[in-house]
Amino acid sequence: KSWTIAFVGNVIGCGGLAYVGHYTGLLSGGTKAFAAALGLAKCSGGTFGQMLVKGIFCNYLVCMAVYLASMARDMGGRYFGILIPVSTFVATGYEHSVANMMLLPAAMLAGAPLTLRDVIVKNMLPVTIGNGLAGAILVAASFSFQFGKLGEGR
């Protein structure tokens, strides 16, 4: 239930942010061309399996950013703990469903020749599954094995 509410809320918020950029004219000129090109690249970035793996490794990095920030003792440490993993996922081209909830509508508003089907099937579906697998298995299950119930029988 909470995952569904969070997902729908992110779609509304991110799509709204993309629309505000379009409405206010911020999505124009070079920014408009970049948004359209980025959206096209994100929907032609590989097979379903490749996009799934991009989603897995992206969310692993995002979860590590949250973990590192929570372990830091001051704001500088929190910023640095977030900066490195998030910069890595952006620089490498890994895919995060929530980031794409803003970027892909912005690309469509910028005139990228994408359909809603392209966005869902070629990006959002495999990326969201990959993000979920990373959060549930690579992060939550491994932490539970090390520190919680999954590791009690060792």
Side-chain angles (χ1 to χ4, degrees):
K1 178 180 172 183
S2 62
W3 219 59
T4 301
I5 292 168
F7 194 87
V8 170
N10 278 312
V11 167
I12 293 167
C14 293
L17 185 60
Y19 180 76
V20 166
H22 173 72
Y23 176 75
T24 59
L26 294 174
L27 196 56
S28 61
T31 304
K32 182 178 181 177
F34 178 73
L38 183 61
L40 279 173
K42 287 184 165 296
C43 288
S44 61
T47 66
F48 188 94
Q50 290 170 326
M51 296 302 285
L52 182 105
V53 171
K54 285 180 180 183
I56 290 171
F57 282 96
C58 181
N59 206 45
Y60 176 76
L61 289 167
V62 170
C63 289
M64 287 301 99
V66 171
Y67 175 73
L68 291 170
S70 69
M71 294 295 106
R73 295 177 187 214
D74 59 20
M75 286 305 290
R78 287 185 180 97
Y79 290 141
F80 194 69
I82 292 169
L83 177 70
I84 301 300
V86 171
S87 296
T88 301
F89 104 65
V90 171
T92 57
Y94 291 151
E95 299 279 344
H96 198 270
S97 60
V98 177
N100 291 347
M101 287 177 195
M102 188 275 183
L103 296 170
L104 293 172
M108 294 173 78
L109 290 166
L114 295 170
T115 65
L116 189 56
R117 184 182 188 286
D118 290 333
V119 167
I120 293 170
V121 173
K122 295 180 179 179
N123 187 286
M124 291 304 296
L125 185 62
V127 169
T128 301
I129 292 169
N131 290 167
L133 289 173
I137 297 170
L138 289 182
V139 178
S142 63
F143 275 41
S144 181
F145 182 78
Q146 183 64 34
F147 305 111
K149 286 202 176 279
L150 289 178
E152 285 179 351
R154 331 182 236 152

